[in-house]
Amino acid sequence: MSEIIVSLSSNSDNREIDEYHDISSDSGSSGSNSSSSDSNSSGGNATDEQYTFGVPRVPLEELGQHPDYIPGCFQENHQIMDVSFELKNVKKIKFRKKQNAIKSRNGIDNLPDAILEHILSYLSTKDAVRTSILSKRWQYLWTSIPKLEFYEEEPDRKTMLMNFVQRALALRDSSNIKDFSLSCDVECETHRINSWISAVVKHKVQVLYLGLANFQESLELTPRLFTCESLKELTLSMFHYLKLPTTSVSFPSLKKLILMEVIFPDDNSTQQLFSGCPILEELFIIDCIWNNVKAVYIAPPMLRILHISDANENKDDLNADADGQNESNSCQVKIFGNSLESFSFSGDHLNDFCLLNSSSVVDASIEVFQRDDEDFYVDVQDAHHLYKLLDGLGNVEKLRLQVSSLEVLNYAEELFPLLPVFNNLTSLTLGSELPIEFSRLLTILRNSPCLDFLELAMGITYHGIYDSILDRVPSCLMTHLKTINIFGLSGDEKEIHAIKILLKIALVLKRISISFDAFDFECSGDIMKLKEISAQILSFPKGSSCSIFFC
């Protein structure tokens, strides 16, 4: 006997048939099912077999009397669903998706302009402009977005970029521009670029980035830029003289200034620039040319962060107007750091940078390159410049120092005993391209009595006599130093000997992490040697109960 059971949707509004089943059984099983059904009926409780996915199953003979029955849903044999039902169902699904899409779009369209403009600000300017085709509501929304970015990606599309910037600023409404970025080749478009800068200043720009290059005519930035009251962050990256207005420079709201590869024209205008930022908090001077400046001071009373990069090799690529710089025309830059907290310097020491009243500095990084110069006078001059810089960091708590800086001091060894004692220094990182020599390390440790953390970026080596080291152990090794990280070891015997000494004389050490250059061992096929060296280090006598980790 064959019985057709139909599952109908419990949703009478949709009136859709969800599923049907063809249940066949022989006479024996039929009797069993009948018995079970009678039992369930007498009990008055429906079983799970009478439901499909929580929807009641209806016998075919009772289908016509069911309130959710839709005539014509089955063919005469009652075993397959009518194709017209499937088509209707698909149409309903498509209709609902379309309605949901309209509702979703209407939901976005109902948002206030300010929120939509904020959303658009996360897109590139080019993509934000593309949204103007969505509807009339969106046609001019992009003209109010607070962030505009224009970058010249390909030289052959320069004209397209220029026209794009011109149109975007021409169609701009009266709303303020929070962030404006422009990066392009200037060539002969100085007048056009100055008109754009004037426009964004008029719209009370707060963050301004100008990356300008390839000048075919002299550029003097509009005076309106240097009296902008709304500007909070300014980045100038340009292979050109920074010609300042003869009247005044006043950035009353400027908190962050980044100068990249600009050519300072003279003492007066350079001083005028640094003095015109009364609330400046962050200053980055990156690979700029000082050869036209003899002396200048930097003294914003609220300056917290100062980074100076003075890499001489980059200056050869600058504008040909910049004359060669040498020790005869080096610049003296005095930095008054009454509120300075973080200071970093990277480069050669051609110019004389010195810190004054800088007891507030707690975080510092010094990386001085040795110059390829056989002039002994120049080497001694560099050593004295570095000494003056380190002398202003006496209260630092965290210091990153390149070992090459110590090599520069070698040209004036009389300065080593005069180095400041870093009484507050608790964290020291020594970077190097080669392992630091143990005696150089001890020189620094003796001037760091409270050091708690030490990191050696490229290992350590020892060439001296073990007994002489024990007579002059730095106090921090006996009282404070708890963590040492050593990277880049090659497994050399002198390196292993240096580690042996450290483990012996570090009396309060809790943890030492040692990292070998595994690539060298793998290439030479000496993985077993690496394991032997690790086991050897673990067997060394220790002055404390420290843990040794290999990574």
Side-chain angles (χ1 to χ4, degrees):
M1 176 180 179
S2 176
E3 182 182 10
I4 302 297
I5 303 297
V6 179
S7 294
L8 295 172
S9 170
S10 61
N11 187 347
S12 60
D13 293 334
N14 293 333
R15 302 183 65 83
E16 298 177 25
I17 295 178
D18 295 325
E19 188 174 353
Y20 73 94
H21 300 269
D22 182 1
I23 304 176
S24 300
S25 60
D26 54 27
S27 59
S29 61
S30 175
S32 174
N33 289 340
S34 175
S35 173
S36 175
S37 176
D38 292 341
S39 173
N40 289 335
S41 298
S42 63
N45 296 324
T47 64
D48 291 340
E49 294 179 355
Q50 293 176 283
Y51 290 83
T52 300
F53 302 112
V55 179
R57 288 199 248 177
V58 182
L60 185 60
E61 57 270 16
E62 300 177 11
L63 184 61
Q65 301 174 3
H66 196 279
D68 286 340
Y69 171 63
I70 304 175
C73 289
F74 291 89
Q75 292 184 2
E76 291 183 357
N77 57 11
H78 306 296
Q79 293 183 357
I80 60 174
M81 188 174 290
D82 191 348
V83 176
S84 63
F85 173 81
E86 289 292 338
L87 293 176
K88 290 177 182 179
N89 204 26
V90 170
K91 288 180 179 180
K92 286 182 179 181
I93 293 173
K94 289 184 177 180
F95 177 76
R96 286 173 186 163
K97 288 183 177 179
K98 184 176 180 180
Q99 289 296 105
N100 290 336
I102 292 174
K103 289 180 181 179
S104 177
R105 191 182 70 184
N106 289 339
I108 294 177
D109 284 342
N110 289 332
L111 293 174
D113 284 357
I115 294 180
L116 293 179
E117 291 162 7
H118 180 73
I119 294 172
L120 289 179
S121 68
Y122 288 94
L123 302 178
S124 67
T125 302
K126 187 182 297 185
D127 289 336
V129 172
R130 287 183 176 134
T131 63
S132 62
I133 66 172
L134 294 178
S135 68
K136 288 184 178 181
R137 170 77 192 287
W138 291 79
Q139 188 172 0
Y140 293 106
L141 270 177
W142 69 271
T143 64
S144 302
I145 58 176
K147 184 176 182 179
L148 295 174
E149 296 177 319
F150 303 97
Y151 299 102
E152 184 177 340
E153 299 173 352
E154 300 176 13
D156 58 347
R157 305 188 70 179
K158 174 178 168 47
T159 302
M160 185 179 297
L161 173 70
M162 291 289 180
N163 293 337
F164 183 38
V165 179
Q166 190 76 26
R167 181 172 179 271
L169 293 177
L171 293 175
R172 182 76 186 184
D173 63 11
S174 60
S175 61
N176 293 341
I177 297 175
K178 183 179 180 180
D179 192 328
F180 183 86
S181 298
L182 173 65
S183 179
C184 67
D185 289 341
V186 176
E187 297 180 353
C188 300
E189 301 285 356
T190 57
H191 176 74
R192 211 175 187 186
I193 288 174
N194 266 328
S195 69
W196 299 340
I197 295 174
S198 298
V200 298
V201 169
K202 183 180 178 181
H203 284 275
K204 301 185 183 304
V205 65
Q206 296 182 30
V207 180
L208 177 61
Y209 172 87
L210 295 175
L212 308 176
N214 193 14
F215 298 88
Q216 295 183 10
E217 60 184 12
S218 179
L219 171 66
E220 185 172 346
L221 294 172
T222 174
R224 295 181 182 179
L225 171 62
F226 298 98
T227 56
C228 181
E229 296 182 355
S230 61
L231 200 57
K232 295 182 179 180
E233 295 184 17
L234 173 62
T235 300
L236 289 177
S237 176
M238 47 188 285
F239 300 108
H240 199 274
Y241 277 101
L242 181 57
K243 297 181 180 180
L244 300 177
T246 55
T247 53
S248 65
V249 174
S250 176
F251 292 111
S253 303
L254 193 67
K255 293 187 176 183
K256 184 175 182 178
L257 176 61
I258 302 176
L259 302 172
M260 301 175 62
E261 298 179 321
V262 304
I263 306 171
F264 296 121
D266 53 62
D267 290 39
N268 183 58
S269 60
T270 305
Q271 188 61 67
Q272 195 178 14
L273 174 63
F274 293 131
S275 301
C277 310
I279 66 168
L280 191 67
E281 297 181 359
E282 299 179 46
L283 176 59
F284 298 80
I285 305 174
I286 303 173
D287 299 339
C288 294
I289 293 183
W290 302 81
N291 62 311
N292 299 308
V293 182
K294 294 299 180 183
V296 69
Y297 67 88
I298 300 174
M302 302 176 67
L303 187 64
R304 298 184 300 104
I305 299 173
L306 175 60
H307 170 73
I308 299 175
S309 175
D310 204 37
N312 199 37
E313 64 268 16
N314 293 336
K315 298 176 183 177
D316 295 335
D317 300 329
L318 294 177
N319 196 296
D321 291 337
D323 299 326
Q325 189 175 10
N326 51 56
E327 63 276 4
S328 63
N329 61 1
S330 64
C331 176
Q332 183 182 60
V333 182
K334 293 183 178 180
I335 303 160
F336 293 86
N338 297 321
S339 302
L340 197 61
E341 299 173 2
S342 177
F343 174 78
S344 58
F345 176 87
S346 175
D348 56 44
H349 236 304
L350 177 60
N351 295 301
D352 183 10
F353 298 93
C354 57
L355 290 167
L356 303 171
N357 301 333
S358 55
S359 60
S360 58
V361 177
V362 295
D363 190 317
S365 176
I366 305 294
E367 181 180 12
V368 178
F369 308 136
Q370 285 182 282
R371 285 193 279 167
D372 296 329
D373 200 320
E374 297 181 358
D375 189 335
F376 179 73
Y377 169 76
V378 173
D379 295 332
V380 172
Q381 183 189 58
D382 287 352
H384 280 267
H385 288 173
L386 176 57
Y387 166 75
K388 285 195 289 184
L389 197 58
L390 291 172
D391 192 46
L393 298 173
N395 288 335
V396 71
E397 297 176 6
K398 185 177 182 180
L399 178 62
R400 293 171 297 281
L401 185 65
Q402 283 294 118
V403 177
S404 58
S405 304
L406 299 179
E407 300 302 324
V408 171
L409 284 177
N410 283 339
Y411 296 117
E413 292 189 0
E414 68 277 7
L415 296 177
F416 272 101
L418 303 178
L419 286 174
V421 176
F422 302 103
N423 287 309
N424 297 329
L425 185 63
T426 59
S427 175
L428 174 63
T429 298
L430 294 176
S432 176
E433 295 180 359
L434 297 171
I436 183 173
E437 211 283 319
F438 202 89
S439 61
R440 289 281 174 254
L441 174 62
L442 294 183
T443 299
I444 302 173
L445 296 185
R446 290 190 183 102
N447 285 35
S448 310
C450 298
L451 192 66
D452 178 82
F453 173 87
L454 174 64
E455 181 170 295
L456 306 176
M458 284 302 295
I460 185 173
T461 186
Y462 180 64
H463 301 286
I465 301 174
Y466 178 70
D467 293 340
S468 64
I469 295 294
L470 291 178
D471 295 336
R472 298 179 290 115
V473 176
S475 62
C476 67
L477 287 170
M478 297 182 289
T479 59
H480 284 82
L481 190 59
K482 298 180 177 63
T483 304
I484 299 177
N485 293 337
I486 305 176
F487 297 95
L489 291 179
S490 62
D492 182 81
E493 290 184 5
K494 295 177 180 179
E495 292 178 340
I496 306 305
H497 189 57
I499 293 176
K500 182 178 182 180
I501 299 175
L502 273 179
L503 289 172
K504 180 68 176 179
I505 62 179
L507 303 183
V508 294
L509 191 64
K510 292 184 177 181
R511 175 191 176 102
I512 180 169
S513 297
I514 300 172
S515 176
F516 291 95
D517 191 344
F519 181 75
D520 288 343
F521 287 94
E522 290 174 359
C523 291
S524 60
D526 288 339
I527 298 298
M528 291 303 299
K529 181 182 178 181
L530 178 59
K531 294 181 178 179
E532 292 173 0
I533 293 174
S534 300
Q536 181 183 4
I537 292 175
L538 290 173
S539 67
F540 287 154
K542 297 181 293 185
S544 70
S545 57
C546 68
S547 300
I548 302 176
F549 297 89
F550 299 96
C551 50

